[in-house]
Amino acid sequence: MSKPLTDQEKRKQISVRGLAGVENVADLKTNFNRHLHFTLVKDRNVATKRDYYFALAHTVRDHLVGRWIRTQQHYYEKDPKRVYYLSLEFYMGRTLQNTMVNLALENACDEATYQLGLDMEELQDMEEDAGLGNGGLGRLAACFLDSMATLGLAAYGYGIRYEFGIFNQKVVNGWQVEEADDWLRYGNPWEKARPEYMRPVHFYGRVEHNPDGVKWVDTQVILALPYDTPVPGYRNNIVNTMRLWSAKAPCEFHLKDFNVGGYIQAVLDKNLAENISRVLYPNDNFFEGKELRLKQEYFVVAATLQDIIRRFKASKFGSTEVVRMDLTTLPDKVAIQLNDTHPALAIPELMRILIDDEKLTWDTAWDITVRTCAYTNHTVLPEALERWPVDLFQNLLPRHLEIIYEVNRRHLERISALYPGDHDRLRRMSLVEEGGQKKINMAHLCIVGSHAVNGVAQIHSDIIKDTVFKDFYDVDPQKFQNKTNGITPRRWLVMCNPGLAEVIAERIGEDYIRDLSQLKSLLKFVDDDAFIRDIANVKQENKLKFAVHLEEQFKVKINPNSMFDVQVKRIHEYKRQLLNCLHIITLYNRIKKEPNKAWTPRTIMIGGKAAPGYHTAKMIIKLITAIGEVVNNDSVVGDRLKVIFLENYRVTLAEKVIPAADLSEQISTAGTEASGTGNMKFMLNGALTIGTMDGANVEMAEEAGEENLFIFGMRVKDVEALDKKGYDALEYYNRIPELKQAIDQISGGFFSPGEPDQFKDIVKMLMCHDRFKVFADYEDYIQCQEKVSALYKNTKEWTKMVIHNIAGCGKFSSDRTIGQYAREIWGMEPSLEKIAAPDDPLAI
């Protein structure tokens, strides 16, 4: 019998990883050793695994640099319209493997490191995640950067270089504990500081109105230092830029501004200014009105707009010479996309520049601003909408407040003319919310100041038009669009699931990686036994690999033949991890009641971070771990049911768990999840979905056929009807014995014997003020889960359903999403053509 292939030999056979030419491998080895010696100043005898990672990263980065310079040169020569994606979050994860995939270097690097006696996967594991985001919104920005480069758009991502990203989550005695994410501790080989493009940003001060214009004076100045990270397109030689700003105190800053007596204290106080880029706010779908956060929002916007206008004026490569003076053509050359309301200050800031600095009239400036800016809405949850207190604004950004007041005056004048005497409508539509404390409604500012407003899935865009922003839709219907989210198939298939990518490529070729709609041609293999077997085998391999990972990292043993039932996402009441908990308890009670029945074994995995200040979310984590303690130690249940809390869920863990999942839990209350993107990742990686008709689940069911998803629960119209009638949790509790049993166990201390009323807050919430109506969907969810268990027993039918799902994934590529943004919002044309590779003997 031939001996089994090693992991490295298996990887070598995967063609989507690129060719490993002999010259390539030799050159990579030479460059690796050169970097180890000259860049890292290390001898092979004393080098650590981390040194080897850095040597490999620099070796791969060398392949980016020529293309990066060439791409930027290409843009200067062609002078295309440029798009600026402004986001407070870019959840990038690791860069090394993604770069190798997009440059077709993966097999060559694997072979080179192997010949050097190293294991490439071990080196990849040395890289820190760039966790500069909370969840969906930040990860979407990262996928968009990949697609914009792949589609040849002259695009720039602009954000903040947080010194500390999303916290690392530890679970101690079942409770979440946060740890600072010091991701830059060992340096970041992918970024390049650009001190020559440092920009001043102003805060505080006062406004002077003179006959010759308006001046914002006596301000405090902070410097914004840019760090550039290359963003390679997929095998097209294009490398775009993500530019992240870091806060620096100017040298003269403190003595002058703070009138500090001592020199030492003045130097120490530089920290205060530099705190702006210190840490990412860890809230997902929740607004926290802190001054530091408003400073961050203005900081990124002010630095970025200076950069945009500098680049617009100097259109020669490497030249600072002013070529364009007429800013009325700005919208022909610049598109600014606002990722949620966080960068909303771009609207008043652009107005300030055009009026105060460039001396344009209000009407001209406003026309330019509206035609340049577009706004993406990401949530309809009221607690997530940004509403900044006016007094905070007045103090921090006095000129911007004046501009917002004037925008509002003109806006309300227009509404008044359209609806004479309708004072309630004026109140509803104002950018300034009156009441106890006057507040600026940032979403209203974005809608009024943009030429396009989009939701992120069809159902979400409809909700926006019908309810949340209906008044605005009534006056400007042409502004409102839908752009259903997508994910990059490079990271979320080729990179994280090469086995599946290869099985697909063997049937339909490799072009689908650039054009995911080609997956629909897999439908012709839905009855092909060999294909069905291949798909099932890849899944089983991924499950075994993940089981090994769990055992190595967390010392938990799981049954790889059980169904992997996975819910990974931020912990939030609207995402209803509690509904999942109720199913676990119900399943547990049923197994205990009939231990001899042939139950479908399940390993239920739940993972995700809770915002540090979100008490209920932290209690939910404790409940999940408490249920796990009971279930996992019950010998009657054995390995027919296991509950695992996946600690520190992040991009890198997603890349491991998603390819291994059988069942994807997407169970938010209908009308609350704007889109979801994890749902798409599971679908593309061969998991089946149990979900409500919410967010992009609706379109997933449309694409794959509703019969190929496990859809349950209330639709939006049912939720609305229940709201009208009044949701009464007690009615369900009294009517459904298994629900009552589960709730009584939680409240009676069955899962917390040492502290019987540990979960009283959760029970009280579920019984008395559950905005998300967990009990209303319980019965249908349990019944739907029974169908899941039944189908899982029939591997062939299950796998055929999986194939229908993978074949229906084409729409959910971020390439499709970005193509629509480009054509329908930015006025740009995507292109799949390659540009010439730089004169690089290693260019492939």
Side-chain angles (χ1 to χ4, degrees), residues 529-542:
D529 285 342
F531 186 59
I532 292 168
R533 194 179 54 244
D534 285 348
I535 291 286
N537 286 344
V538 165
K539 179 60 71 179
Q540 200 50 41
E541 252 176 60
N542 291 337

Side-chain angles (χ1 to χ4, degrees), residues 404 504 706:
I404 289 167
I504 294 169
E706 196 171 327

